[in-house]
Amino acid sequence: MNTFNANYKNQTNRIAVRPIACWLLGALLLCTLGLSFVYIKNQQYALGNLKKNLEINIAETGAKIEVANASISSLTSHSALQHRVDDGFMKLIPIEDSRIARLVTPVVEPVRHDGEIRTAANERRLQ
């Protein structure tokens, strides 16, 4: 019995730290890679949805611009404006002669070298 107790006390179970650390490090690396992969896939999915929504908005805006251009061209056509005048929605007033600026051919004068700045004026209005 004495030998049993002596052998028991001398025997210790050693824990191999190096293999356990290698396995834990490998497992940590695989977990990190897996989580990174999932994170990147989620980012790609979110950015794909954002891109799809932006493309839809661009298409809708293009369609709205085409509708607006068609509306502008139909509302500014001669027949549409004439119809508005006939309905009384718009009223045409003749332009007064004093409000019209007329460009007359300039009289050829000798060029002055004094550097004086001259303004253009309507000669009929000045009279």
Side-chain angles (χ1 to χ4, degrees), residues 41-87:
K41 282 295 179 181
N42 283 340
Q43 288 289 14
Q44 286 177 340
Y45 180 75
L47 291 174
N49 281 340
L50 180 64
K51 181 181 174 184
K52 184 175 77 171
N53 290 339
L54 288 174
E55 288 173 352
I56 289 171
N57 286 344
I58 288 171
E60 288 175 354
T61 304
K64 287 179 184 178
I65 288 173
E66 288 179 16
V67 168
N69 285 338
S71 177
I72 288 170
S73 64
S74 69
L75 290 175
T76 57
S77 68
H78 182 70
S79 61
L81 292 174
Q82 186 62 42
H83 181 68
R84 287 181 153 213
V85 168
D86 294 342
D87 287 347

Side-chain angles (χ1 to χ4, degrees), residues 111-119:
V111 179
R112 291 197 235 169
H113 296 289
D114 58 354
E116 179 183 344
I117 297 176
R118 292 172 284 163
T119 59

Side-chain angles (χ1 to χ4, degrees), residues 3-71:
T3 60
F4 178 70
N5 285 339
N7 288 339
Y8 180 71
K9 288 181 181 179
N10 289 337
Q11 289 182 348
T12 56
N13 292 330
R14 294 184 180 192
I15 299 174
V17 177
R18 178 176 272 177
I20 292 174
C22 287
W23 280 103
L24 285 176
L25 187 63
L28 180 66
L29 180 66
L30 285 176
C31 288
T32 304
L33 288 174
L35 288 175
S36 299
F37 179 77
V38 170
Y39 174 75
I40 289 171
K41 282 295 179 181
N42 283 340
Q43 288 289 14
Q44 286 177 340
Y45 180 75
L47 291 174
N49 281 340
L50 180 64
K51 181 181 174 184
K52 184 175 77 171
N53 290 339
L54 288 174
E55 288 173 352
I56 289 171
N57 286 344
I58 288 171
E60 288 175 354
T61 304
K64 287 179 184 178
I65 288 173
E66 288 179 16
V67 168
N69 285 338
S71 177

